[in-house]
Amino acid sequence: MTSCSSPAGCSGQGSTRVNDTQASKAARHPCYSISGHHRFARMHLAVAPACNLQCNYCNRKYDCSNESRPGVVSELLLPEQAVAKARQVAAAIPQLSVVGIAGPGDPLANIGRTFQTLELLRQQLPDLKLCLSTNGLMLPSVIDRLVDVGVDHVTVTLNALDPAIAEQIYAWLWFDGERYTGRSAAQLLIERQAEGIRKLTEKGILVKINSVLIPGINDQHLLAVSQQIKQWGAFLHNIMPLISRPEHGTVFGLNGQPEPEADQTAAIRQACGSSMPQMMHCQQCRADAIGMLGEDRNAAFPLSAVPVTPPAYLPIMHQRAQLHASIVSQGESEEADACLVAVASGDGQVIDRHFGHTDRFTLYSLSAAGVVQVGQRFTPRYCHSPQECEPQDAGQDMDALLALLADVQAVFCARIGLTPWKRLEAAGIEPQINGAWQPIEAVLLQWWQQRKAVTGEMTARGVA
């Protein structure tokens, strides 16, 4: 699959590749998918005020409503406030697919607030994608925590690989209680970014690299950046033109650093497209943006309007799944013979997870459009260990699982115990293990065709 035909978008070059697993993961993320940004919405939660790196193009503002650029928010939120607001937005914007933390500082300079927010989101909104944006300084220290909480997209701002260039972009950084400046700060940052990006991609997390194009500083260097991040396994490169207006109060804005012309930005993206798929639709959003890209609805959701008692989430989640299925299947999921199914898989390729050991199911729409991934749902584990597969609270966990999966017709897994098998059947959900260790798409397609045949035969015989 070439980058031009992938959901990631492209620069017009045909030499870069995006595999099918990456494309499926990115398809519902509007910032990672050129087609997804027309169909799905995102939400940024402003829970991270502090930053451990001072960029010369950045001036954070925490109570600003009239500027549209990164680092700007109208209201800072506590983790509990952020999740309550996310629930409100999820009910109001059914196209919502992603909730991320992008500032106004750096999420990983606010590790406690960030992970508390992510953990609450995962518990209360189990179907939404989680992502964050970071300068990468603290990435190597938190990779496993990001994986455990289910973050599957991370954006790293990487502006240079050469410390002589990087020291012109950054004034200072804080690391392990010490302040670094100049070449030493630049060298430390680049080393930590490289380590973090490599570890993320090794864990299967999709990594987008943001690079701010700064004329006269890194404009001739970004091709080398693109070539290197490809080697590190990054998924997408987003080259963003510098914003340096004096009224924003940044160092570059005040010292007259010019912004790039549109044709310069286009030319550099084109050149870098020979190495990496290029993001062409970035809106350089605020750190509290809500809605479709290019349509920020944050002002419609002030903290004062968040309901004290949120509506029940499961009906909202199930309704959104139907809408998302309709979007990705181009309406075919609305036909009578279409359905949703859930799959327990570790790698997204084969059905390889035990029902009781998985903490997430991938949903697929089966219809005339084929087998199309709709999203994931994080669930409580039915088995807490190999020796304790039906603990005392297994009934409660199974109740929660059944509620989460109430809108699917079948669950596909490698193995399943007798008790959950019976509970699924009693709830009208078909347990399936015949496709264990086989490719997901082939198994689901065969099952759906057999199901259609049986349904058609029953209809022909007049059986309800």
Side-chain angles (χ1 to χ4, degrees):
M1 179 182 293
T2 67
S3 62
C4 292
S5 61
S6 77
C10 69
S11 63
Q13 304 295 321
S15 60
T16 52
R17 294 289 187 269
V18 173
N19 66 46
D20 289 341
T21 300
Q22 291 175 322
S24 294
K25 288 180 71 173
R28 292 169 55 251
H29 196 308
C31 302
Y32 281 63
S33 168
I34 197 168
S35 59
H37 91 275
H38 294 296
R39 305 182 295 174
F40 295 105
R42 86 305 192 205
M43 179 181 189
H44 293 170
L45 297 177
V47 297
C51 198
N52 48 15
L53 177 67
Q54 180 57 59
C55 306
N56 289 330
Y57 53 74
C58 181
N59 180 27
R60 299 182 302 281
K61 294 185 179 180
Y62 305 153
D63 57 355
C64 180
S65 60
N66 60 1
E67 293 181 18
S68 183
R69 59 181 177 86
V72 170
V73 299
S74 296
E75 298 173 309
L76 284 174
L77 304 174
L78 296 173
E80 296 83 357
Q81 294 171 329
V83 176
K85 188 170 181 176
R87 292 185 62 151
Q88 179 196 27
V89 171
I93 304 178
Q95 298 93 336
L96 183 69
S97 63
V98 179
V99 177
I101 303 174
D106 189 271
L108 300 183
N110 303 262
I111 286 180
R113 294 168 65 103
T114 292
F115 276 96
Q116 184 181 355
T117 304
L118 292 173
E119 289 161 3
L120 288 171
L121 287 168
R122 182 51 68 223
Q123 294 166 12
Q124 297 188 34
L125 294 90
D127 61 320
L128 291 178
K129 284 182 173 293
L130 300 183
C131 70
L132 62 80
S133 297
T134 176
N135 57 43
L137 181 61
M138 296 305 298
L139 258 181
S141 306
V142 299
I143 302 294
D144 290 339
R145 291 186 69 181
L146 291 173
V147 172
D148 289 345
V149 79
V151 170
D152 58 4
H153 294 68
V154 172
T155 294
V156 182
T157 299
L158 175 66
N159 297 313
L161 298 168
D162 183 343
I165 295 175
E167 69 175 333
Q168 301 175 62
I169 302 173
Y170 309 110
W172 50 259
L173 65 79
W174 281 96
F175 181 71
D176 280 351
E178 293 189 32
R179 188 176 189 267
Y180 294 77
T181 60
R183 191 69 57 92
S184 61
Q187 184 67 48
L188 174 61
L189 176 63
I190 293 166
E191 290 173 358
R192 299 282 291 179
Q193 289 172 325
E195 181 183 357
I197 293 166
R198 289 195 301 265
K199 286 183 175 180
L200 285 173
T201 59
E202 288 168 2
K203 294 289 188 178
I205 293 177
L206 291 188
V207 177
K208 174 169 68 73
I209 302 298
N210 283 355
S211 297
V212 179
L213 169 57
I214 310 167
I217 295 180
N218 69 350
D219 50 335
Q220 300 302 309
H221 179 59
L222 289 181
L223 178 58
V225 172
S226 228
Q227 292 168 340
Q228 182 59 73
I229 62 175
K230 177 183 179 181
Q231 297 302 314
W232 290 340
F235 172 75
L236 190 63
H237 196 188
N238 177 27
I239 296 174
M240 307 183 299
L242 172 70
I243 299 174
S244 60
R245 296 160 202 162
E247 62 268 25
H248 294 159
T250 66
V251 171
F252 281 156
L254 295 174
N255 71 13
Q257 170 65 45
E259 298 178 352
E261 299 291 339
D263 57 352
Q264 181 184 20
T265 302
I268 291 175
R269 285 173 173 167
Q270 180 75 11
C272 292
S274 62
S275 299
M276 282 290 298
Q278 297 293 303
M279 180 177 179
M280 312 296 282
H281 59 281
C282 177
Q283 302 294 315
Q284 294 181 270
C285 302
R286 293 163 54 99
D288 57 6
I290 294 174
M292 313 292 279
L293 264 65
E295 181 194 25
D296 190 354
R297 296 175 57 185
N298 175 66
F301 298 96
L303 185 58
S304 59
V306 174
V308 175
T309 302
Y313 186 70
L314 288 181
I316 294 169
M317 182 185 73
H318 293 153
Q319 291 168 8
R320 185 165 56 252
Q322 294 297 327
L323 173 64
H324 289 196
S326 181
I327 291 172
V328 297
S329 70
Q330 297 183 328
E332 293 291 347
S333 68
E334 299 175 28
E335 297 300 319
D337 59 0
C339 65
L340 292 176
V341 298
V343 176
S345 173
D347 63 1
Q349 299 293 315
V350 298
I351 301 168
D352 60 2
R353 288 291 175 89
H354 189 297
F355 176 85
H357 297 165
T358 191
D359 62 359
R360 71 196 70 179
F361 289 90
T362 303
L363 263 63
Y364 291 85
S365 169
L366 309 185
S367 70
V371 177
V372 186
Q373 188 179 135
V374 176
Q376 286 190 322
R377 287 187 190 161
F378 284 71
T379 61
R381 290 192 181 208
Y382 179 75
C383 300
H384 295 276
S385 71
Q387 295 78 30
E388 191 183 15
C389 211
E390 290 194 21
Q392 292 182 352
D393 60 350
Q396 296 178 1
D397 288 344
M398 192 65 201
D399 289 343
L401 266 168
L402 291 172
L404 283 165
L405 300 176
D407 56 342
V408 306
Q409 296 297 312
V411 169
F412 293 77
C413 49
R415 292 178 58 198
I416 184 171
L418 181 60
T419 299
W421 183 292
K422 290 181 176 179
R423 290 291 307 276
L424 285 168
E425 286 189 326
I429 302 171
E430 180 181 336
Q432 268 289 339
I433 59 172
N434 292 336
W437 306 104
Q438 296 180 42
I440 293 172
E441 184 170 348
V443 171
L444 298 189
L445 187 60
Q446 181 181 24
W447 177 87
W448 183 63
Q449 290 172 340
Q450 291 174 345
R451 180 176 183 267
K452 282 202 306 176
V454 170
T455 302
E457 182 179 341
M458 293 175 64
T459 300
R461 294 185 348 218
V463 179

